[in-house]
Amino acid sequence: MDITVKKKARIAITAEYFTIGFIFSTLLSRFPALIEKYQLSDAQLSFVPFSMSVGSLLCMPLCGYLLSKYGSKKISVVGYLHIGLLPLFALMPNMYFLYALCILFGVAMGGMDVAINTNGLLLERSYKRPIISLFHAFFYIGMACGSLLSILFLLFHASLLLHLSIISLITVVIFYFSRSYFLQETPKKTVEKRKRGLLLPKGILLLIALIAFCGRIIEGSISDWSTVYMNNIVQLSFVYAPIGLTIYAIFLSVGRFFGDRVRSTFRDEQTLFYSCLITSVGLAIMISTSGAATTIIGLFVSGLGLSNVVPVIYSLAGKATPESPGLGLATVNTISGTGFFFGPAIIGFIAEHYSLRVSFSYVLALCVVMSCLAYRYMYSKQQ
């Protein structure tokens, strides 16, 4: 592959990871505004990310088939839908229409997730060395920038509609130019003839999927609820509540900047196991008290720990199905995507009856389970 093509593709894919994170954190940072606009309780708010995960899960079986038939560059066109739906979060007449919008948003988000990660894995293969952690770093740089910009919009009392519309306009321009440089793969006919039904992993891919299942709950829970946690538990105002998400995103990106170097030094299974342990420590620190300093320390330790979990899992999933990395990703995402069923809904339910602090004890327990599964995977690779 021509070096110029690879460089342009790397810049384009990096820009798109940044854009997805930017959109995601913008929406998360305005969760308090959604609570106020639609008069949502914690339990009702939990159905916002829950509904997104329903949409994402519904599209996974189709994604595996479409990726094998058309390739990730063509499927990435769903990004226009993902971006275009953003302003509608400020225009729904009630929470039931909001949930329906979230399902559609989740379909677009899931399609983009698989398409962009597949394109990133293809580029990593062409470089013949780990580079995907850096892409994921820019996802969280995008999240940090989105949450910081949200604070600025809040300081100037910008309406939810104005805020989301401006972000949608900015990101659609970035996406339009970056998408033209994505790698165009040639789908294999042998993969194309595979069945189009529900993609269920087996063997070592199942173990990877279970680790991803726990990881998606943990990462999604911290991302989705950190702003509300800082507002409700730490007692920061709506304006400054996104600072927790900013800190978390910054240290996730820092960890991922060095992630490729770590993966070049240590085996992937070792990186995965110790990352899970560090995340457990961070969550324990976070929920130990309700002080702002302790919570922020817990968030940055959790961010460092989680920084390499997803890149390693995606890389392992792609290696498990070398004939079609997109199929491996879609298969793992079929299981891991259900993690959002257990995450937001249960966290919202526990918070409704106890508190968000108690809810994060549930997240910590899942992190311990993930560590045990990662140890089992590391042990199996040593045999």
Side-chain angles (χ1 to χ4, degrees), residues 11-13 15-16 19 173-182:
I11 294 171
I13 294 170
E16 196 47 42
T19 301
V173 172
I174 296 173
F175 181 67
Y176 174 80
F177 287 103
S178 63
R179 184 175 175 270
S180 61
Y181 295 106
F182 291 170

Side-chain angles (χ1 to χ4, degrees), residues 3 6 10 120-121 123-134 260 263-264 315:
I3 188 65
K6 290 200 294 186
R10 189 169 183 173
L121 284 174
L123 187 61
E124 183 177 67
R125 285 186 177 186
S126 72
Y127 271 91
K128 296 183 173 60
R129 59 184 173 87
I131 62 170
I132 199 168
S133 291
L134 185 62
D260 293 324
R263 289 180 59 205
S264 297
S315 182

